[in-house]
Amino acid sequence: MLAESEGDGVVMTVTSAVRDSGGFLTVSGKVTNSSGNLWTGGEWRGDESELQGNGGSIAGASLIDKAGKKKYLVLRDTSGRCLCTKFSGGIDSGESADWFAQFPAPPADTQKVDFQVGTMPPATIQISEG
């Protein structure tokens, strides 16, 4: 486990952040619903109008490279769909689901970034090479 953040009635765990040779960084983990109600992830999809078609997803996630002073957004296809997990049907209370989000990779000398989604507290994660 690289990091854990709690808020919005869920616990988000980041288990990997792997930079590949193609210039992408894939961040993945698990979300566990501890809210007592169905959790749909709608607040994680982001506010940009292009992202509204992504439903309950992790499309609004970002990476912050503090050293490089840059923010990286989840990659999207030409239709505005994120390269990320969509939580179809939501997650029942007490249940968990795996998730992933793909980003442009920060420069090779950037080893740590902050992962942020929704109103969850940011989680500092270590990048590994794939």
Side-chain angles (χ1 to χ4, degrees), residues 1 7 9 14-15 17 23-24 36 38 59 65-66 68 71 73 90-93 98 113 115 119 122 124-125 128-129:
M1 175 176 69
V14 180
T15 56
F24 302 104
L38 178 69
D65 174 2
K66 290 179 183 176
K71 179 178 184 177
L73 303 177
I91 302 170
D92 289 324
S93 181
D98 293 330
V113 291
F115 179 82
T119 58
T124 302
I125 56 175
S128 62
E129 303 299 322

Side-chain angles (χ1 to χ4, degrees), residues 77-91:
D77 66 15
T78 56
S79 298
R81 291 184 300 257
C82 71
L83 277 69
C84 68
T85 298
K86 186 171 181 178
F87 302 107
S88 299
I91 302 170

Side-chain angles (χ1 to χ4, degrees), residues 25-117:
L25 177 70
T26 302
V27 181
S28 58
K30 183 174 289 224
V31 61
T32 303
N33 179 0
S34 57
S35 71
N37 299 304
L38 178 69
W39 182 81
T40 61
E43 61 278 0
W44 284 16
R45 98 177 145 215
D47 294 331
E48 296 173 60
S49 59
E50 181 180 87
L51 297 176
Q52 299 309 304
N54 284 290
S57 69
I58 198 161
S62 63
L63 298 176
I64 305 297
D65 174 2
K66 290 179 183 176
K69 300 185 185 318
K70 291 190 179 184
K71 179 178 184 177
Y72 297 89
L73 303 177
V74 173
L75 292 169
R76 299 163 191 141
D77 66 15
T78 56
S79 298
R81 291 184 300 257
C82 71
L83 277 69
C84 68
T85 298
K86 186 171 181 178
F87 302 107
S88 299
I91 302 170
D92 289 324
S93 181
E95 299 293 318
S96 297
D98 293 330
W99 60 266
F100 81 95
Q102 197 167 38
F103 299 88
D109 61 344
T110 299
Q111 299 300 312
K112 289 186 178 183
V113 291
D114 284 351
F115 179 82
Q116 171 71 49
V117 65

